[in-house]
mmCIF file of all heavy atoms in Angstrom:
data_model
loop_
_atom_site.group_PDB
_atom_site.id
_atom_site.type_symbol
_atom_site.label_atom_id
_atom_site.label_comp_id
_atom_site.label_asym_id
_atom_site.label_seq_id
_atom_site.Cartn_x
_atom_site.Cartn_y
_atom_site.Cartn_z
ATOM 1 N N ALA A 789 -0.086 -5.029 1.349
ATOM 2 C CA ALA A 789 0.603 -4.598 0.124
ATOM 3 C C ALA A 789 2.113 -4.780 0.239
ATOM 4 O O ALA A 789 2.772 -5.211 -0.716
ATOM 5 C CB ALA A 789 0.268 -3.133 -0.178
ATOM 6 N N LEU A 790 2.670 -4.480 1.409
ATOM 7 C CA LEU A 790 4.108 -4.658 1.604
ATOM 8 C C LEU A 790 4.494 -6.135 1.555
ATOM 9 O O LEU A 790 5.538 -6.493 1.002
ATOM 10 C CB LEU A 790 4.552 -4.038 2.934
ATOM 11 C CG LEU A 790 4.522 -2.510 3.002
ATOM 12 C CD1 LEU A 790 4.760 -2.037 4.434
ATOM 13 C CD2 LEU A 790 5.516 -1.884 2.040
ATOM 14 N N CYS A 791 3.651 -6.991 2.135
ATOM 15 C CA CYS A 791 3.923 -8.442 2.084
ATOM 16 C C CYS A 791 3.884 -8.941 0.649
ATOM 17 O O CYS A 791 4.740 -9.737 0.237
ATOM 18 C CB CYS A 791 2.914 -9.207 2.942
ATOM 19 S SG CYS A 791 3.202 -9.044 4.713
ATOM 20 N N ASP A 792 2.906 -8.486 -0.107
ATOM 21 C CA ASP A 792 2.816 -8.893 -1.508
ATOM 22 C C ASP A 792 4.036 -8.412 -2.278
ATOM 23 O O ASP A 792 4.619 -9.147 -3.073
ATOM 24 C CB ASP A 792 1.526 -8.337 -2.111
ATOM 25 C CG ASP A 792 1.210 -8.950 -3.455
ATOM 26 O OD1 ASP A 792 1.342 -10.189 -3.600
ATOM 27 O OD2 ASP A 792 0.826 -8.199 -4.375
ATOM 28 N N TYR A 793 4.451 -7.197 -2.020
ATOM 29 C CA TYR A 793 5.635 -6.633 -2.677
ATOM 30 C C TYR A 793 6.886 -7.443 -2.327
ATOM 31 O O TYR A 793 7.659 -7.825 -3.217
ATOM 32 C CB TYR A 793 5.780 -5.174 -2.261
ATOM 33 C CG TYR A 793 7.011 -4.501 -2.802
ATOM 34 C CD1 TYR A 793 7.192 -4.345 -4.166
ATOM 35 C CD2 TYR A 793 7.987 -4.012 -1.942
ATOM 36 C CE1 TYR A 793 8.320 -3.717 -4.664
ATOM 37 C CE2 TYR A 793 9.113 -3.384 -2.431
ATOM 38 C CZ TYR A 793 9.278 -3.235 -3.791
ATOM 39 O OH TYR A 793 10.398 -2.617 -4.284
ATOM 40 N N ALA A 794 7.080 -7.725 -1.044
ATOM 41 C CA ALA A 794 8.246 -8.511 -0.623
ATOM 42 C C ALA A 794 8.194 -9.919 -1.213
ATOM 43 O O ALA A 794 9.224 -10.477 -1.593
ATOM 44 C CB ALA A 794 8.323 -8.577 0.906
ATOM 45 N N ASN A 795 7.010 -10.476 -1.314
ATOM 46 C CA ASN A 795 6.863 -11.815 -1.879
ATOM 47 C C ASN A 795 7.255 -11.851 -3.359
ATOM 48 O O ASN A 795 7.777 -12.848 -3.835
ATOM 49 C CB ASN A 795 5.436 -12.333 -1.685
ATOM 50 C CG ASN A 795 5.310 -13.798 -1.989
ATOM 51 O OD1 ASN A 795 6.212 -14.591 -1.725
ATOM 52 N ND2 ASN A 795 4.198 -14.178 -2.579
ATOM 53 N N HIS A 796 7.022 -10.739 -4.080
ATOM 54 C CA HIS A 796 7.466 -10.663 -5.487
ATOM 55 C C HIS A 796 8.992 -10.782 -5.570
ATOM 56 O O HIS A 796 9.526 -11.322 -6.532
ATOM 57 C CB HIS A 796 7.038 -9.353 -6.139
ATOM 58 C CG HIS A 796 5.599 -9.292 -6.507
ATOM 59 N ND1 HIS A 796 5.013 -10.089 -7.455
ATOM 60 C CD2 HIS A 796 4.609 -8.508 -6.029
ATOM 61 C CE1 HIS A 796 3.744 -9.808 -7.558
ATOM 62 N NE2 HIS A 796 3.462 -8.859 -6.688
ATOM 63 N N ILE A 797 9.677 -10.284 -4.567
ATOM 64 C CA ILE A 797 11.144 -10.320 -4.559
ATOM 65 C C ILE A 797 11.645 -11.665 -4.031
ATOM 66 O O ILE A 797 12.536 -12.278 -4.608
ATOM 67 C CB ILE A 797 11.704 -9.170 -3.690
ATOM 68 C CG1 ILE A 797 11.286 -7.816 -4.282
ATOM 69 C CG2 ILE A 797 13.223 -9.263 -3.566
ATOM 70 C CD1 ILE A 797 11.511 -6.638 -3.350
ATOM 71 N N LEU A 798 11.053 -12.124 -2.930
ATOM 72 C CA LEU A 798 11.552 -13.311 -2.234
ATOM 73 C C LEU A 798 10.981 -14.628 -2.742
ATOM 74 O O LEU A 798 11.579 -15.679 -2.527
ATOM 75 C CB LEU A 798 11.247 -13.187 -0.731
ATOM 76 C CG LEU A 798 11.839 -11.977 -0.026
ATOM 77 C CD1 LEU A 798 11.314 -11.896 1.394
ATOM 78 C CD2 LEU A 798 13.351 -12.045 -0.046
ATOM 79 N N LYS A 799 9.817 -14.569 -3.351
ATOM 80 C CA LYS A 799 9.125 -15.791 -3.811
ATOM 81 C C LYS A 799 8.869 -16.751 -2.639
ATOM 82 O O LYS A 799 8.928 -17.963 -2.781
ATOM 83 C CB LYS A 799 9.916 -16.514 -4.900
ATOM 84 C CG LYS A 799 10.362 -15.655 -6.053
ATOM 85 C CD LYS A 799 9.213 -15.179 -6.882
ATOM 86 C CE LYS A 799 9.683 -14.496 -8.148
ATOM 87 N NZ LYS A 799 9.330 -13.115 -8.240
ATOM 88 N N ASP A 800 8.587 -16.186 -1.467
ATOM 89 C CA ASP A 800 8.338 -16.972 -0.256
ATOM 90 C C ASP A 800 7.456 -16.117 0.663
ATOM 91 O O ASP A 800 7.924 -15.153 1.273
ATOM 92 C CB ASP A 800 9.675 -17.301 0.428
ATOM 93 C CG ASP A 800 9.515 -18.118 1.701
ATOM 94 O OD1 ASP A 800 8.421 -18.121 2.311
ATOM 95 O OD2 ASP A 800 10.518 -18.737 2.108
ATOM 96 N N ALA A 801 6.171 -16.483 0.754
ATOM 97 C CA ALA A 801 5.202 -15.671 1.500
ATOM 98 C C ALA A 801 5.556 -15.561 2.980
ATOM 99 O O ALA A 801 5.415 -14.487 3.577
ATOM 100 C CB ALA A 801 3.796 -16.238 1.326
ATOM 101 N N ASP A 802 6.003 -16.638 3.590
ATOM 102 C CA ASP A 802 6.360 -16.595 5.012
ATOM 103 C C ASP A 802 7.559 -15.677 5.253
ATOM 104 O O ASP A 802 7.560 -14.875 6.190
ATOM 105 C CB ASP A 802 6.660 -17.998 5.547
ATOM 106 C CG ASP A 802 5.420 -18.876 5.602
ATOM 107 O OD1 ASP A 802 4.302 -18.320 5.743
ATOM 108 O OD2 ASP A 802 5.572 -20.107 5.505
ATOM 109 N N ALA A 803 8.558 -15.800 4.411
ATOM 110 C CA ALA A 803 9.734 -14.933 4.539
ATOM 111 C C ALA A 803 9.344 -13.481 4.293
ATOM 112 O O ALA A 803 9.844 -12.572 4.983
ATOM 113 C CB ALA A 803 10.821 -15.368 3.561
ATOM 114 N N ALA A 804 8.447 -13.253 3.349
ATOM 115 C CA ALA A 804 7.990 -11.893 3.055
ATOM 116 C C ALA A 804 7.321 -11.278 4.285
ATOM 117 O O ALA A 804 7.593 -10.121 4.643
ATOM 118 C CB ALA A 804 7.035 -11.890 1.872
ATOM 119 N N GLU A 805 6.468 -12.040 4.950
ATOM 120 C CA GLU A 805 5.819 -11.532 6.165
ATOM 121 C C GLU A 805 6.851 -11.215 7.240
ATOM 122 O O GLU A 805 6.748 -10.181 7.911
ATOM 123 C CB GLU A 805 4.798 -12.545 6.690
ATOM 124 C CG GLU A 805 3.534 -12.605 5.861
ATOM 125 C CD GLU A 805 2.474 -13.506 6.460
ATOM 126 O OE1 GLU A 805 2.475 -13.738 7.688
ATOM 127 O OE2 GLU A 805 1.626 -13.980 5.689
ATOM 128 N N ASP A 806 7.829 -12.088 7.392
ATOM 129 C CA ASP A 806 8.884 -11.844 8.385
ATOM 130 C C ASP A 806 9.651 -10.563 8.074
ATOM 131 O O ASP A 806 9.926 -9.754 8.961
ATOM 132 C CB ASP A 806 9.860 -13.023 8.441
ATOM 133 C CG ASP A 806 9.245 -14.275 9.047
ATOM 134 O OD1 ASP A 806 8.180 -14.173 9.698
ATOM 135 O OD2 ASP A 806 9.830 -15.362 8.852
#
Side-chain angles (χ1 to χ4, degrees):
L790 290 171
C791 286
D792 192 44
Y793 176 63
N795 192 36
H796 284 295
I797 298 167
L798 301 173
K799 309 292 189 243
D800 180 339
D802 292 332
E805 286 186 24
D806 290 344

